[in-house]
Amino acid sequence: MKRVAILISGGGSNMLRLLDGMRDGAIDAQPVLVLSNKVDAGGIAKAAARDVPTKVLPHVDYAKREDFDAALHDALIDARPDIICLAGFMRILTPGFTAKWEGRMINIHPSLLPLFRGLHTHRRAIEAGVAVHGCTVHGVTAELDDGPIYGQATVPVTPADTPETLAAKVLVQEHRLYPAVLSELCADHVPRLSLGAV
Ligand code: GRF
């Protein structure tokens, strides 16, 4: 059984779907750590309520990005994860850190990569006038929102959509895609999943 660590910065809705999958046996893995870089991340209490080990490592307590990443590395070494899932973890990690965990670290991004790397993906999708948008689970490398794509899920974009309505549609797909990809990776498969609109 694989050991999984999940890094969050916020409410953790994706994190909860991953925990559900591990609890229900759909994902052959056990959660060994949920870690947040934000003290006020609501997801930490939700994970603790499920008896999952948690840790808060406030990035604001570190003068340099490298110092935070070194402390993050040590916390992960203690947890001994086989796979690290970034789930709404809003930190850019240093190349020195990503190099140590490359091949064992994945992220969910709210766009159909390589389109709309970075922030504000839903507003940018609407401004670009795309008819299809979605989310991507990819391997984490030193390049932001780059790395091998393990799965994508789509949503239609309508003229009535706002960034908020699009974000809500994409989040539903994120909650389907992330557990499906993690389940494949925990079965030692290298997935390339595509999920259509619900
Ligand atoms: C998700 O939309 C994810 O794609 C983005 O941040 C959001 C986090 O949501 N990176 P949650 O904390 O998992 O609810």
Side-chain angles (χ1 to χ4, degrees):
M1 183 180 277
K2 294 282 193 297
R3 297 169 61 85
V4 171
I6 307 173
L7 307 188
I8 65 171
S9 299
S13 72
N14 278 289
M15 175 266 296
L16 287 175
R17 296 311 185 280
L18 299 178
L19 293 185
D20 288 346
M22 289 183 255
R23 180 197 59 202
D24 302 343
I27 302 171
D28 186 19
Q30 57 171 337
V32 294
L33 178 66
V34 170
L35 182 150
S36 169
N37 65 306
K38 305 283 296 266
V39 174
D40 59 356
I44 289 291
K46 297 169 189 171
R50 295 183 179 211
D51 295 326
V52 175
T54 61
K55 188 176 180 65
V56 176
L57 203 63
H59 67 271
V60 292
D61 291 353
Y62 298 84
K64 293 192 300 182
R65 196 170 280 279
E66 288 75 13
D67 298 340
F68 170 78
D69 284 7
L72 177 60
H73 178 74
D74 292 345
L76 289 167
I77 288 290
D78 289 347
R80 295 184 296 109
D82 300 296
I83 299 176
I84 302 167
C85 298
L86 307 188
F89 184 67
M90 305 308 281
R91 288 286 294 170
I92 296 176
L93 297 162
T94 57
F97 177 90
T98 56
K100 291 176 186 147
W101 295 95
E102 194 163 330
R104 296 180 285 169
M105 191 159 51
I106 60 176
N107 177 48
I108 188 149
H109 181 76
S111 82
L112 294 175
L113 292 172
L115 286 177
F116 312 123
R117 291 188 171 102
L119 299 175
H120 314 302
T121 60
H122 309 304
R123 175 173 54 74
R124 291 158 62 201
I126 288 171
E127 287 170 358
V130 297
V132 179
H133 182 48
C135 54
T136 303
V137 175
H138 63 98
V140 176
T141 63
E143 291 303 314
L144 182 66
D145 300 331
D146 193 37
I149 290 175
Y150 296 129
Q152 295 187 302
T154 59
V155 302
V157 183
T158 71
D161 268 314
T162 64
E164 293 70 31
T165 61
L166 204 46
K169 286 198 283 191
V170 171
L171 198 59
V172 169
Q173 291 289 64
E174 293 181 35
H175 294 166
R176 295 176 63 214
L177 181 68
Y178 215 171
V181 168
L182 183 60
S183 175
E184 290 294 303
L185 290 169
C186 288
D188 294 319
H189 301 154
V190 180
R192 176 69 66 83
L193 300 180
S194 64
L195 302 182
V198 286

PDB file of all heavy atoms in Angstrom, residues 10-14 87-88 90 108-110 171 174, ligand 1:
ATOM      1  N   GLY A  10      -5.619  25.832   1.591  1.00  0.00           N
ATOM      2  CA  GLY A  10      -6.951  26.381   1.815  1.00  0.00           C
ATOM      3  C   GLY A  10      -7.929  25.380   2.391  1.00  0.00           C
ATOM      4  O   GLY A  10      -7.589  24.555   3.228  1.00  0.00           O
ATOM      5  N   GLY A  11      -9.170  25.391   1.860  1.00  0.00           N
ATOM      6  CA  GLY A  11     -10.259  24.595   2.419  1.00  0.00           C
ATOM      7  C   GLY A  11     -10.105  23.101   2.237  1.00  0.00           C
ATOM      8  O   GLY A  11     -10.664  22.315   2.986  1.00  0.00           O
ATOM      9  N   GLY A  12      -9.396  22.698   1.193  1.00  0.00           N
ATOM     10  CA  GLY A  12      -9.075  21.284   1.035  1.00  0.00           C
ATOM     11  C   GLY A  12     -10.152  20.397   0.445  1.00  0.00           C
ATOM     12  O   GLY A  12     -10.223  19.212   0.777  1.00  0.00           O
ATOM     13  N   SER A  13     -10.991  20.903  -0.445  1.00  0.00           N
ATOM     14  CA  SER A  13     -12.034  20.044  -1.023  1.00  0.00           C
ATOM     15  C   SER A  13     -11.419  18.925  -1.861  1.00  0.00           C
ATOM     16  O   SER A  13     -11.910  17.791  -1.839  1.00  0.00           O
ATOM     17  CB  SER A  13     -13.016  20.867  -1.865  1.00  0.00           C
ATOM     18  OG  SER A  13     -12.426  21.302  -3.067  1.00  0.00           O
ATOM     19  N   ASN A  14     -10.342  19.193  -2.577  1.00  0.00           N
ATOM     20  CA  ASN A  14      -9.669  18.126  -3.319  1.00  0.00           C
ATOM     21  C   ASN A  14      -9.025  17.125  -2.359  1.00  0.00           C
ATOM     22  O   ASN A  14      -9.101  15.916  -2.566  1.00  0.00           O
ATOM     23  CB  ASN A  14      -8.609  18.721  -4.250  1.00  0.00           C
ATOM     24  CG  ASN A  14      -9.195  19.234  -5.544  1.00  0.00           C
ATOM     25  OD1 ASN A  14      -9.612  18.454  -6.387  1.00  0.00           O
ATOM     26  ND2 ASN A  14      -9.252  20.542  -5.689  1.00  0.00           N
ATOM     27  N   ALA A  87      -2.638  19.933  -3.488  1.00  0.00           N
ATOM     28  CA  ALA A  87      -4.085  20.090  -3.654  1.00  0.00           C
ATOM     29  C   ALA A  87      -4.492  21.488  -3.185  1.00  0.00           C
ATOM     30  O   ALA A  87      -4.789  21.691  -2.003  1.00  0.00           O
ATOM     31  CB  ALA A  87      -4.832  19.015  -2.867  1.00  0.00           C
ATOM     32  N   GLY A  88      -4.402  22.463  -4.112  1.00  0.00           N
ATOM     33  CA  GLY A  88      -4.660  23.848  -3.719  1.00  0.00           C
ATOM     34  C   GLY A  88      -3.523  24.376  -2.862  1.00  0.00           C
ATOM     35  O   GLY A  88      -3.724  25.203  -1.969  1.00  0.00           O
ATOM     36  N   MET A  90      -0.694  26.684  -2.674  1.00  0.00           N
ATOM     37  CA  MET A  90      -0.393  27.903  -3.442  1.00  0.00           C
ATOM     38  C   MET A  90       1.003  28.448  -3.150  1.00  0.00           C
ATOM     39  O   MET A  90       1.159  29.632  -2.793  1.00  0.00           O
ATOM     40  CB  MET A  90      -1.475  28.952  -3.148  1.00  0.00           C
ATOM     41  CG  MET A  90      -2.879  28.476  -3.411  1.00  0.00           C
ATOM     42  SD  MET A  90      -3.098  27.763  -5.064  1.00  0.00           S
ATOM     43  CE  MET A  90      -3.220  29.244  -6.020  1.00  0.00           C
ATOM     44  N   ILE A 108      -2.797  19.397  -9.057  1.00  0.00           N
ATOM     45  CA  ILE A 108      -3.986  19.652  -9.873  1.00  0.00           C
ATOM     46  C   ILE A 108      -4.030  21.139 -10.182  1.00  0.00           C
ATOM     47  O   ILE A 108      -3.841  21.985  -9.306  1.00  0.00           O
ATOM     48  CB  ILE A 108      -5.291  19.182  -9.220  1.00  0.00           C
ATOM     49  CG1 ILE A 108      -6.446  19.317 -10.222  1.00  0.00           C
ATOM     50  CG2 ILE A 108      -5.596  19.904  -7.903  1.00  0.00           C
ATOM     51  CD1 ILE A 108      -7.534  18.282 -10.038  1.00  0.00           C
ATOM     52  N   HIS A 109      -4.226  21.444 -11.479  1.00  0.00           N
ATOM     53  CA  HIS A 109      -4.248  22.840 -11.954  1.00  0.00           C
ATOM     54  C   HIS A 109      -5.564  23.096 -12.666  1.00  0.00           C
ATOM     55  O   HIS A 109      -5.979  22.287 -13.504  1.00  0.00           O
ATOM     56  CB  HIS A 109      -3.081  23.096 -12.906  1.00  0.00           C
ATOM     57  CG  HIS A 109      -3.040  24.496 -13.411  1.00  0.00           C
ATOM     58  ND1 HIS A 109      -2.608  25.549 -12.642  1.00  0.00           N
ATOM     59  CD2 HIS A 109      -3.396  25.021 -14.607  1.00  0.00           C
ATOM     60  CE1 HIS A 109      -2.708  26.671 -13.342  1.00  0.00           C
ATOM     61  NE2 HIS A 109      -3.194  26.381 -14.540  1.00  0.00           N
ATOM     62  N   PRO A 110      -6.217  24.200 -12.370  1.00  0.00           N
ATOM     63  CA  PRO A 110      -7.565  24.452 -12.948  1.00  0.00           C
ATOM     64  C   PRO A 110      -7.561  25.034 -14.364  1.00  0.00           C
ATOM     65  O   PRO A 110      -8.142  26.103 -14.606  1.00  0.00           O
ATOM     66  CB  PRO A 110      -8.166  25.420 -11.937  1.00  0.00           C
ATOM     67  CG  PRO A 110      -7.005  26.194 -11.420  1.00  0.00           C
ATOM     68  CD  PRO A 110      -5.839  25.229 -11.402  1.00  0.00           C
ATOM     69  N   LEU A 171     -14.349  22.708 -10.572  1.00  0.00           N
ATOM     70  CA  LEU A 171     -14.080  22.035  -9.286  1.00  0.00           C
ATOM     71  C   LEU A 171     -14.769  20.671  -9.223  1.00  0.00           C
ATOM     72  O   LEU A 171     -14.204  19.703  -8.699  1.00  0.00           O
ATOM     73  CB  LEU A 171     -14.516  22.923  -8.116  1.00  0.00           C
ATOM     74  CG  LEU A 171     -13.933  22.568  -6.749  1.00  0.00           C
ATOM     75  CD1 LEU A 171     -12.409  22.611  -6.738  1.00  0.00           C
ATOM     76  CD2 LEU A 171     -14.507  23.483  -5.657  1.00  0.00           C
ATOM     77  N   GLU A 174     -12.514  18.466 -11.009  1.00  0.00           N
ATOM     78  CA  GLU A 174     -11.292  18.208 -10.235  1.00  0.00           C
ATOM     79  C   GLU A 174     -11.528  17.059  -9.253  1.00  0.00           C
ATOM     80  O   GLU A 174     -10.676  16.194  -9.077  1.00  0.00           O
ATOM     81  CB  GLU A 174     -10.876  19.464  -9.466  1.00  0.00           C
ATOM     82  CG  GLU A 174     -10.419  20.622 -10.336  1.00  0.00           C
ATOM     83  CD  GLU A 174     -10.000  21.829  -9.508  1.00  0.00           C
ATOM     84  OE1 GLU A 174      -9.438  21.638  -8.413  1.00  0.00           O
ATOM     85  OE2 GLU A 174     -10.253  22.952  -9.965  1.00  0.00           O
TER      86      GLU A 174
HETATM   87  C1  GRF B   1      -8.595  24.228  -6.837  1.00  0.00           C
HETATM   88  O1  GRF B   1      -9.389  24.812  -7.820  1.00  0.00           O
HETATM   89  C2  GRF B   1      -7.252  23.881  -7.425  1.00  0.00           C
HETATM   90  O2  GRF B   1      -7.289  23.555  -8.802  1.00  0.00           O
HETATM   91  C3  GRF B   1      -6.524  25.169  -7.260  1.00  0.00           C
HETATM   92  O3  GRF B   1      -6.904  25.637  -5.980  1.00  0.00           O
HETATM   93  C4  GRF B   1      -8.233  25.193  -5.725  1.00  0.00           C
HETATM   94  C5  GRF B   1      -8.165  24.519  -4.372  1.00  0.00           C
HETATM   95  O4  GRF B   1      -9.337  24.110  -3.948  1.00  0.00           O
HETATM   96  N1  GRF B   1      -5.071  25.028  -7.332  1.00  0.00           N
HETATM   97  P1  GRF B   1      -9.462  23.169  -2.630  1.00  0.00           P
HETATM   98  O5  GRF B   1      -8.616  23.785  -1.532  1.00  0.00           O
HETATM   99  O6  GRF B   1      -8.966  21.797  -2.981  1.00  0.00           O
HETATM  100  O7  GRF B   1     -10.904  23.212  -2.325  1.00  0.00           O
END
